[in-house]
Structure formats: structure tokens, C-alpha cells
Amino acid sequence: MPDSKQPRVFHLITRLLKGGAEGHLIATVQGLDRYEFTVGYGSEYVQSQVDSLENAGVSTKRFPLVRHYNPITTVPAVLSLAWYLQRRDFDIVHTNSTEAGIIGRFAAKLAGVPNIVHTVHGIPFSTDRNNILSQFVLTCERQVASYTDRIVTNADIITEDYLERNIGTSEQYTTVYSGVELDAFVDATPADDLPGKRPRIVMIGRLTEGKGHGVLLNAIESMDEDIGSVCIVGDGPLYDELEAEILRRGLDGRVFLIGFRDDIPNVLAASDLLTLPSFREGTPRVITEAMASGVPVVATDIAGIPEQVADGESGYLIPTGDAKALRRRLEQLLQDTELRQRMGQQGIERVKRFSVEAMVEETDNIYRDLLGKDCQL
């Protein structure tokens, strides 16, 4: 049973799926045993993620009105969450992701929660998103920042971006890099069931808008057919559309959709380079995982990615939506084994700052600072 003297922390996330933000949250609450955690999540979830938390002794609570970019349910979601928080004695409310961050901070303010923390897992403002929606989100972010004691970003550049948009003040911000269990990726056994020939490009992530799958297909379509293969790992709402598009372009012998995998260390060990041509990100855990695996990265020059990938040293950075630049860098790496090995080794050296242990310790420091000396830890 949890110690009644332990500080009580409520985490809220929009969707409890299999993404990087969810991994960050779960690693945090499982890594800090001096707090009593409850994790709230919205309408979309994966039962195995809920079970993982419950089995670790973390209470969970589903809030069906918390939905991904659904303005209609926002006000009812705030009211229902505020009612829930008012009936419990939480010391900290810690929100994660954009929608939960807006709803959760409004609700925590209404409920009179003494300490409010928000983690920005990715910049929600990008050129491929509706301008009206972006403006609505920006207005909400500016308002809820005034209720927030600490805003956590996973890259310094994200802090700079938010401050340039007049979201909060510099004193509110702390950078905590999203951590990964690095040891799991060292000397992992290569998966032996991946389709296609080597060298192998891998793209890992949820199949959803904004990840740049179309940019990757454009790049591959114009490449020499004799150069390697591509495995797209993940599941999501774009699966059927991507499958049809691969067939329409005649890429089905070179590009393979292999669905969700729970053996990412093994997948990376069987791959030669990772690409992530996203339009919006935070500090993607999959890039950290690739670096820990000694796999070079080609990704877009956005958000926290430049703080992970040293351009020209551990991989290459390209502009968003630039299929020609992506093709050029992929071909360069596919055709040069020595270059891939050298960049992979550089990634191994850089990745040490992105450990789970560092992430958990820095989060603990934030909680201690907010709770003060009077709290028994």
C-alpha cells in the first residue's frame, strides 16, 4: 500500500497509446517511488499500457471527454476533470501533450490544485496544420501558462519557440530530455523476420498525419530500385491509406508496412539507418533509440531533433517536406558502409545525455522544488 505521507501526483495525457510521450510518462511514474501517482488518460488508449501502470502499482482513471483536437468536448472535459480533482487531495497536477495540457491546467486551476506542471512533448504549431486551429491552441496555451508553475520541455529550442510566441516566462521553463533505457539497445539481437534486403531503412512511429510518410514515399519512388529496402514500423489511422499508396506507386517490393512491434531494439539492430521526415515533433524517443543502437539518422531540422542529431556527424538534418533532400541523404548513407558506421558510433557517444535515469532525477528535482522543504520525501 502507498505511504499516506507520500506526495500525491496526478498525471494527465490525452491518449495512452504506444507513442513517445506515453513512454516518457510511464518511465517517469515507474521510476519515482517516493510519490503516489495516479495517471489519467483520454478516450483513446491501449489496454496493455493501462495494465502496465496498474501492475506497477499506479492508479489509473479514464476521462472519455478528453479527446484529440475536439473543441466540442473541451469545456465538458474541463468541468468533469475539475470535479474529479476537487474530490481528491493532489499535491501536483502534471499534464502531458497539448489537449491534456490545456484541459488539465484549466481544471487544476478551477479545482485549486497547489502545484501545476506541464510537459511539452512536441510543438503543436506547424505549417501543415489548420491556421484557425493553431491560433486557437496558441490562445489557450498563453492563457493556461499563467496557471502553470513549471513548464517542462524536452529541448531548449522548444522553450525558445514557446517564449517567442509569448507563452509564459523564461523563469517557468525547465528542459528535461526524454529518456530511454539505453542498455536495452546495446548489443541487441537483430530481428530475423523483417522483409526486404539490406541495407535497410526503417521508419518507426505512429501512422498518423504530420509524420511525413508521404515525403518518404516520394523520396523512395525516385531512388534506384537496387538500393536497399524500407520498413515502416507502427500502426495508426493511416495504415490502410499508406498500404494503398504503396501499391499504387508500385513500391510494394521495396517498402513494407510491418505494423506495431514491441521489439524495437531488435528491429533497429536489423536496420542500417533510421529516417523521420516529420512536420512536427518534440525530442523523438525513437531517434535516441536509434543512436543507442549505433544507427545513423536522417530527420527533419525541427523542434528538439537538432539537439539529438549532430548534422553531418551522427546523421543528417533536412528541411520539412523536402523529398529531394531526403533522397540525397538516404542514398549517401545507403551507398557508404563506412559512413554509416562512423555516424552510428558518433550517435552512441552523444546518446548518453538521454538516459531514463537522468530524466527521472531531473523530474524529481522539479517536484521537490515545488513541494518545498516541509514535504516529507
Side-chain angles (χ1 to χ4, degrees), residues 3 24 26 42 44-45 58 114 123 141 154 165 168 182 223 250 260 262 315 366-367:
D3 185 341
H24 181 127
I26 291 171
E44 296 180 65
Y45 67 100
V58 178
I123 297 175
E141 287 282 1
N154 48 29
R165 298 176 192 273
L182 302 180
M223 286 170 59
F260 174 77
D262 59 7
I366 291 170
Y367 291 170

Side-chain angles (χ1 to χ4, degrees), residues 7 9 11 28 31-35 37 92 94 150 152 174 176 356-372 377:
V9 181
H11 271 266
T28 298
L32 288 172
D33 57 7
R34 58 171 58 98
Y35 304 91
F37 286 105
I92 297 172
H94 188 157
R150 195 68 59 87
V152 182
T174 300
V176 177
V356 164
E357 291 78 13
M359 177 185 74
V360 169
E361 180 180 355
E362 289 163 12
T363 303
D364 186 26
N365 289 338
I366 291 170
Y367 291 170
R368 286 172 175 267
D369 184 52
L370 290 174
L371 295 169
L377 288 175

Side-chain angles (χ1 to χ4, degrees), residues 207-208 232 234-244 257-260:
L207 307 186
T208 187
I232 298 177
D235 204 352
L238 293 184
Y239 189 98
D240 291 342
E241 181 180 327
L242 280 171
E243 185 176 47
L257 285 178
I258 63 173
F260 174 77

Side-chain angles (χ1 to χ4, degrees), residues 17 27 40 63 86 145 178 190 202 213 229 251 261 287 292 314 322 353:
L17 303 176
F63 295 88
Q86 283 175 340
S178 186
V202 65
H213 294 97
S229 61
L251 297 174
R261 299 281 295 226
I287 287 181
S314 60
D322 193 337
R353 73 183 78 175

Side-chain angles (χ1 to χ4, degrees), residues 257-307:
L257 285 178
I258 63 173
F260 174 77
R261 299 281 295 226
D262 59 7
D263 60 341
I264 296 303
N266 311 95
V267 169
L268 286 167
S271 302
D272 299 284
L273 63 98
L274 173 88
T275 189
L276 197 66
S278 302
F279 287 85
R280 51 184 177 269
E281 283 290 350
T283 305
R285 288 168 60 88
V286 69
I287 287 181
T288 303
E289 293 167 351
M291 292 164 60
S293 303
V295 174
V297 176
V298 180
T300 40
D301 187 9
I302 58 170
I305 294 176
E307 292 175 44

